[in-house]
């Protein structure tokens, strides 16, 4: 809308050039909104890269990293649908909320996926490990999510000017966090039950040596 308004104004300048018509934009809020949108996209790509790298280090599997990367947009897209149904626009507050929750959206899936792989290491097949792993850690995942929800829901209920400003911000955080929980209980175990695979490190390869060294350091830290 802002771009089209500026284009129309430029047309008017040419149309009334003989009258000496000129204009200056005093305030343009769209600049900050567009910068916020670009910031969200930047954060999203950064989160994808970092999450993939971290999952690759801890689970030693590119396949497992892909599970988490799929869960990120799977939680984000329904959030946009809920925003649409609630009549929220892409403004500074909603974009700030989306930027904030990028890191939160993968938490539940990571916790559940790691537990599924732990059950696979115990000798269970993929399907059984996915069912048992999700069931065992499910209550913990719910607790992790509800911690965020109980913080932001009261903000959405606040009255006055502050309440109006924070309402969309708080509800977008709540929507996306609940969607991430739903994805971690459905899509993540489904992907693990179909495509999950334990990676056996080869100590004779560079990748194997790096990961074995990393595992040894983690074990020392744990001890």
């Amino acid at each position: 809308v802002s771009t089209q308004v500026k284009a129309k104004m430029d047309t008017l300048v040419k149309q009334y050039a003989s009258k000496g018509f000129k204009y200056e934009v005093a305030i343009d809020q769209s600049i900050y909104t567009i910068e916020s949108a670009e910031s969200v996209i930047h954060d999203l790509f950064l989160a994808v890269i970092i999450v993939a790298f971290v999952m690759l280090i801890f689970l030693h599997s590119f396949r497992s990293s892909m599970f988490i990367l799929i869960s990120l947009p799977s939680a984000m897209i329904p959030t946009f649908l809920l925003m649409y149904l609630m009549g929220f626009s892409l403004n500074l507050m909603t974009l700030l909320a989306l930027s904030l929750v990028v890191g939160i959206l993968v938490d539940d899936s990571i916790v559940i996926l790691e537990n599924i792989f732990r059950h696979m290491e115990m000798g269970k097949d993929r399907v059984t490990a996915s069912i048992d792993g999700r069931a065992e850690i499910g209550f913990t995942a719910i607790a992790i999510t509800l911690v965020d929800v109980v913080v932001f829901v009261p903000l959405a209920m606040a009255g006055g000017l502050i309440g109006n400003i924070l309402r969309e911000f708080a509800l977008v955080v709540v929507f996306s966090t609940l969607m991430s929980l739903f994805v971690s209980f459905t899509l993540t175990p489904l992907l693990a039950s179909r495509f999950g695979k334990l990676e056996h490190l080869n100590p004779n390869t560079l990748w194997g040596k790096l990961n074995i060294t990393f595992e040894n350091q983690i074990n020392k830290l744990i001890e």
Side-chain angles (χ1 to χ4, degrees), residues 20-147:
F21 172 64
K22 293 180 181 179
Y23 78 96
E24 289 183 10
V25 178
I27 298 173
D28 185 0
Q29 295 286 358
S30 70
I31 293 172
Y32 308 110
T33 305
I34 291 168
E35 286 178 354
S36 297
E38 290 173 349
S39 176
V40 171
I41 295 168
H42 176 266
D43 288 350
L44 189 59
F45 278 106
L46 197 62
V48 165
I49 293 168
I50 294 172
V51 166
F53 179 70
V54 170
M55 293 305 296
L56 199 59
I57 289 176
F58 279 92
L59 292 181
H60 321 303
S61 170
F62 179 77
R63 189 177 301 194
S64 302
S65 300
M66 290 305 298
F67 296 164
I68 301 301
L69 299 190
I70 291 170
S71 71
L72 188 58
S74 299
M76 184 75 81
I77 291 169
T79 303
F80 282 105
L81 296 176
L82 289 170
M83 286 170 61
Y84 174 77
L85 293 173
M86 293 290 292
F88 295 171
S89 63
L90 287 175
N91 53 56
L92 284 174
M93 298 309 293
T94 56
L95 289 171
L96 178 64
L98 289 171
S99 180
L100 173 70
V101 299
V102 163
I104 299 173
L105 294 184
V106 294
D107 287 355
D108 296 330
S109 291
I110 288 175
V111 169
I112 286 177
L113 186 63
E114 194 278 333
N115 202 50
I116 289 171
F117 272 81
R118 188 178 70 84
H119 280 264
M120 289 173 65
E121 289 172 351
M122 292 162 57
K124 297 180 181 180
D125 63 87
R126 291 182 301 194
V127 175
T128 306
S130 298
I131 295 170
D132 293 348
R134 188 204 61 80
E136 184 181 53
I137 208 77
F139 189 78
T140 304
I142 292 172
I144 292 171
T145 305
L146 290 183
V147 166

Side-chain angles (χ1 to χ4, degrees), residues 201-212:
L201 298 174
N202 185 352
N204 298 321
T205 63
L206 178 61
W207 176 246
K209 289 177 181 177
L210 288 173
N211 280 287
I212 290 170

Side-chain angles (χ1 to χ4, degrees), residues 86-89 91-94 97 152-172:
M86 293 290 292
F88 295 171
S89 63
N91 53 56
L92 284 174
M93 298 309 293
T94 56
F152 285 98
V153 166
L155 287 178
M157 296 177 178
L161 179 63
I162 299 300
N164 290 332
I165 293 172
L166 291 180
R167 180 171 174 268
E168 291 188 6
F169 170 82
L171 287 180
V172 168

Side-chain angles (χ1 to χ4, degrees), residues 1-14 23:
V1 171
S2 173
T3 303
Q4 290 176 1
V5 168
K6 290 174 184 175
K8 186 65 176 178
M9 292 299 292
D10 290 338
T11 303
L12 292 174
V13 168
K14 293 174 184 176
Y23 78 96

